[in-house]
Amino acid sequence: EVQLVESGGGLIQPGGSLRLSCAASAFTFSNYAMTWVRQAPGKGLEWVSAISQTGDRTYYADSVKGRFTISRDNSNNTLFLGMSSLRADDTAVYYCATKSGSGEYYFNNWGQGSLVTVSS
Amino acid sequence: QFALTQPRSVSGSPGQTVTISCAGTSSDVGRYDYVSWYQQHPGKAPKLMIYDVTKRPSGVPDRFSGSKSGNTASLTIFGLQAEDEADYFCCSYAGTYTWVFGGGAKLTVL
């Protein structure tokens, strides 16, 4: 069964930096584009970023562009999200998810999420 | 605040049919047949229920049905059951490897 396990969340002060990790198992990680989606407390889902299978192409929502960096390590089956210049409105549970196959545009497997709280 | 507009709440009694709408624009829902729907129970991760507007992943009951007309997509749940009570989010591909979500609709089974 596909497993995605996020880690690295926590309490961070405004303006600080944090890196989330997403450990993948039970599927061929390098065959799938990956994405991060976040959910502020009691709010809806927001797409944050996506990365191609090889990591050569990255994409960001306008709300995080220039502050967040998505990357991946296919040799260790791990996805990352580097976050800097964090603001209070970045407070959310961050989910990693697999994007469906090439030519498909949905998210078929999700992790349990990692909570990031930006507060002084 | 969210690119796609959903009703905040919907409700129905067991056995009834409910429909959740998802209004987008000609740049997302209206342009691409890549609307997906996700179910989320409290404290849990989202679960894919519908993709490509109308398709169901294996394991999702056929009581769940998706459709689209113009810039609006819909999720219909037939024969409502207690376990269907959850939040439902629509999502649309918006081009150039970007996606937009709706704010979510809370389904209450009366």
Side-chain angles (χ1 to χ4, degrees), chain A residues 39 45 95 99 106-107 111, chain B residues 38 40 45 51 89 97 99 101:
Chain A
Q39 185 173 33
L45 300 172
Y95 295 100
K99 177 196 161 298
Y106 55 92
F107 311 123
Chain B
Y38 302 88
Q40 186 180 38
Y51 67 97
F89 298 91
Y97 245 69
W99 286 262
F101 280 92

Side-chain angles (χ1 to χ4, degrees), chain A residues 25-47:
Chain A
S25 60
F27 69 103
T28 306
F29 181 69
S30 59
N31 284 355
Y32 288 87
M34 297 292 295
T35 191
W36 289 96
V37 175
R38 69 184 180 183
Q39 185 173 33
K43 302 295 185 182
L45 300 172
E46 179 188 12
W47 175 77

Side-chain angles (χ1 to χ4, degrees), chain B residues 35-52:
Chain B
V35 175
S36 51
W37 289 87
Y38 302 88
Q39 177 192 64
Q40 186 180 38
H41 287 107
K44 300 294 187 182
K47 174 188 174 184
L48 177 69
M49 302 300 285
I50 295 287
Y51 67 97
D52 293 355

